[in-house]
Amino acid sequence: MTAQLSKKSEAWSARFNEPVSDLVKRYTASVFFDKRLAQVDIQGSLAHAEMLAHQNIISQQDHAEIQRGMAQIQEEIAAGKFEWLLDLEDVHLNIEKRLTELVGDAGKRLHTGRSRNDQVATDIRLYVRSEIDNIVGLLRDLRLALLDLAEKHADTILPGFTHMQVAQPITFGHHMLAYVEMFSRDAERMLDCRKRVNRLPLGAAALAGTTFPIDRERVARTLDFEDVCHNSLDAVSDRDFAIEFCAAAALIMTHVSRMSEEFVIWMSPRVGFIDIADRFCTGSSIMPQKKNPDVPELARGKTGRVNGHLIALLTLMKGQPLAYNKDNQEDKEPLFDTVDTVVDTLRIFADMATGITVKPEAMRDAALQGYATATDLADYLVKKGLPFRDAHEAVAHAVRACVDRGCDLSNLTLEEMRVFSSLIEADIFEVLTLEGSVAARNHVGGTAPQQVRLAIARHRSHLN
Ligand code: ARG
């Protein structure tokens, strides 16, 4: 074992007198998770090599050899035949070592004017950028699915809640549109974050730049970066973009989690507002009657780990002096798990939105209880000239009387109602209906079915 280790440590550097222990090797290696960066690592290396050749820092011959070797490495990785070695620490050294095996000295020249510090920073930016694009697409799919559901139920009435107490009638379409707004902001936030992700660190080398006549703008253009990072120390040490990404991801999950909480409540037999298709639920191993909303529950739970990753990255960075420190290797697993969790969750939720059955009768029954139209009665009195605070008081008396009698406001006769205010006339009964209540809130952002349809059209034209 020792012999093998010392052989490897020689390959690493003549500077060392003894090899690291197996335990330390395992502790410091990242290849088993950062091999996920292989594609972007090769992409970055090819852009770097092209620039080196263009600047005559390496020969055209070397450039061609590097391209040939990288093409083969890509094939080996795609075929699952690439041998990832713990001894070679990370994705970068594994690929470089294989390249040198394949093409000799040209492979050894690739690292000219570059360090793993600017290399890994570039890789992560390329990775995060492509995942942002992926997530923005998934947020669009989810919104389209929610818009379909909202349209189907633009007229379906349910009670809206504050403090989990029946507040006012709303439409289910309107309720779904609230989530569409949240996911629209999430997409916006991701695209805003993308601007700061999309800068090229390469060229910063280890920390101070390089003595070779490199052309950083050229590499930036090749890799579709909008600009280069303008300070070499910042370029290799900055992970703000990863933190921003994780913050935006945490908000996505927070929105998913709130929606999940509602789905769980709505699917409880005690509420019975919706049913979720069987493919998103599971049964119980002991209680045969159960159908549990596992997917929303799990998404609510997974929000915790994504929030945790954000805190992990913030904590990772807070004590680091400039410039690069090995601490930074710890940025990857939180980032990767954030991506995996958000991507899977969004895909499942877009599908689940199509598998939701709404139960309008149960929603309607619930809206008819709890004096959901009390505010409408107060507004009615205001329109007849009563100051709002007096109207509020008059309706409070009416509600109290109904509670004592165990009936709804609309069950009172005109005579009984006039006890609370002589301004009440026969046209009150229309005001106290659920349909009248929602239709009356007919302004931008209101719950009226007409507004719901307008909002759906607006979102759709934005998404198409
Ligand atoms: N595996 C390292 C990381 O993820 C690559 C950079 C290492 N650089 C260094 N000087 N040790 O950050």
Side-chain angles (χ1 to χ4, degrees):
M1 202 72 209
T2 318
Q4 206 188 348
L5 283 170
S6 81
K7 194 181 102 230
K8 289 295 175 190
S9 82
E10 270 165 38
W12 181 224
S13 164
R15 160 80 175 73
F16 291 82
N17 289 324
E18 61 169 3
V20 295
S21 74
D22 268 0
L23 182 59
V24 170
K25 202 189 291 175
R26 233 184 324 113
Y27 191 71
T28 54
S30 55
V31 63
F32 289 111
F33 52 85
D34 70 13
K35 65 183 179 191
R36 184 195 285 232
L37 296 173
Q39 279 310 319
V40 288
D41 192 66
I42 292 170
Q43 197 188 345
S45 287
L46 288 174
H48 179 67
E50 192 276 339
M51 180 276 292
L52 291 179
H54 184 263
Q55 299 295 100
N56 290 318
I57 299 168
I58 62 170
S59 68
Q60 294 299 336
Q61 173 68 23
D62 282 340
H63 180 211
E65 291 286 281
I66 289 169
Q67 285 179 309
R68 180 174 67 78
M70 285 301 197
Q72 175 163 346
I73 290 172
Q74 268 170 317
E75 275 172 31
E76 289 175 2
I77 293 173
K81 288 193 181 128
F82 191 93
E83 205 192 341
W84 298 103
L85 296 174
L86 182 73
D87 278 312
L88 293 171
E89 195 178 319
D90 59 22
V91 61
H92 323 292
L93 294 178
N94 267 272
I95 290 177
E96 192 186 322
K97 184 77 193 308
R98 178 70 184 136
L99 181 69
T100 302
E101 268 172 28
L102 290 171
V103 305
D105 283 354
K108 294 188 196 164
R109 293 199 179 98
L110 171 63
H111 214 52
T112 312
R114 181 178 84 165
S115 149
R116 273 188 300 157
N117 298 352
D118 58 345
Q119 184 180 356
V120 70
T122 302
D123 290 3
I124 306 170
R125 283 174 185 264
L126 287 170
Y127 168 78
V128 171
R129 185 178 73 183
S130 96
E131 290 304 337
I132 286 177
D133 294 342
N134 184 20
I135 287 169
V136 168
L138 294 172
L139 283 166
R140 179 177 179 274
D141 296 344
L142 175 56
R143 278 179 289 166
L144 288 172
L146 291 174
L147 287 172
D148 287 344
L149 190 59
E151 186 164 50
K152 226 159 114 192
H153 294 284
D155 298 285
T156 302
I157 295 175
L158 77 162
F161 295 86
T162 60
H163 314 273
M164 277 300 279
Q165 308 287 320
V166 170
Q168 292 170 350
I170 55 171
T171 50
F172 188 72
H174 193 56
H175 201 122
M176 288 300 103
L177 286 178
Y179 287 106
V180 174
E181 291 290 332
M182 293 178 226
F183 294 125
S184 298
R185 288 197 296 278
D186 287 328
E188 242 176 76
R189 229 181 320 269
M190 278 289 170
L191 289 172
D192 189 63
C193 167
R194 192 186 194 281
K195 295 181 206 157
R196 284 173 293 283
V197 171
N198 207 18
R199 309 270 163 84
L200 176 75
L202 217 54
L207 77 163
T210 173
T211 57
F212 295 96
I214 57 171
D215 182 348
R216 296 187 66 206
E217 279 77 17
R218 185 178 182 87
V219 180
R221 277 196 304 277
T222 308
L223 293 174
D224 261 327
F225 281 107
E226 228 166 84
D227 199 356
V228 298
C229 299
H230 284 276
N231 178 290
S232 62
L233 297 172
D234 182 48
V236 288
S237 66
D238 170 45
R239 294 293 182 275
D240 290 1
F241 66 91
I243 293 174
E244 273 191 62
F245 171 79
C246 284
L251 269 171
I252 292 176
M253 289 304 292
T254 297
H255 297 148
V256 167
S257 186
R258 297 186 73 179
M259 184 159 76
S260 297
E261 172 70 358
E262 299 209 294
F263 286 171
V264 170
I265 292 171
W266 291 345
M267 205 181 126
S268 159
R270 296 300 293 263
V271 177
F273 285 2
I274 62 167
D275 196 17
I276 297 177
D278 287 358
R279 64 183 186 280
F280 303 101
C281 301
T282 62
S284 156
S285 56
I286 175 169
M287 299 163 285
Q289 85 282 12
K290 295 282 288 251
K291 177 177 162 185
N292 301 326
D294 282 37
V295 167
E297 287 173 39
L298 201 51
R300 197 174 55 190
K302 283 178 185 289
T303 303
R305 65 200 265 170
V306 173
N307 288 354
H309 295 325
L310 170 62
I311 300 301
L313 289 193
L314 284 166
T315 312
L316 175 69
M317 298 312 294
K318 74 175 275 293
Q320 285 196 52
L322 299 184
Y324 177 88
N325 302 280
K326 182 79 169 179
D327 310 41
N328 281 343
Q329 184 164 292
E330 284 290 302
D331 62 358
K332 287 168 202 65
E333 286 161 295
L335 202 50
F336 295 162
D337 188 66
T338 297
V339 167
D340 291 344
T341 307
V342 170
V343 165
D344 283 353
T345 302
L346 289 176
R347 287 179 58 196
I348 289 182
F349 271 65
D351 187 16
M352 195 170 68
T354 68
I356 288 178
T357 308
V358 169
K359 300 184 178 166
E361 317 75 40
M363 290 183 175
R364 190 178 178 81
D365 283 352
L368 287 170
Q369 293 159 26
Y371 312 102
T373 56
T375 316
D376 297 88
L377 177 53
D379 286 354
Y380 169 91
L381 292 173
V382 169
K383 286 169 195 160
K384 299 265 170 168
L386 203 60
F388 182 76
R389 280 291 156 225
D390 295 338
H392 186 279
E393 189 60 14
V395 177
H397 282 292
V399 168
R400 176 138 188 199
C402 287
V403 172
D404 290 345
R405 285 180 226 176
C407 70
D408 188 60
L409 284 171
S410 58
N411 300 132
L412 297 176
T413 64
L414 183 57
E415 219 125 282
E416 286 167 332
M417 266 193 264
R418 284 175 61 87
V419 171
F420 304 103
S421 170
S422 55
L423 294 170
I424 298 176
E425 293 169 77
D427 57 353
I428 185 60
F429 291 106
E430 202 179 314
V431 170
L432 294 184
T433 65
L434 298 177
E435 282 72 19
S437 174
V438 294
R441 288 165 170 81
N442 193 11
H443 53 78
V444 175
T447 194
Q450 196 186 356
Q451 291 298 329
V452 170
R453 292 199 170 87
L454 286 172
I456 291 169
R458 186 170 50 76
H459 281 295
R460 283 221 176 101
S461 83
H462 181 74
L463 288 176
N464 290 320

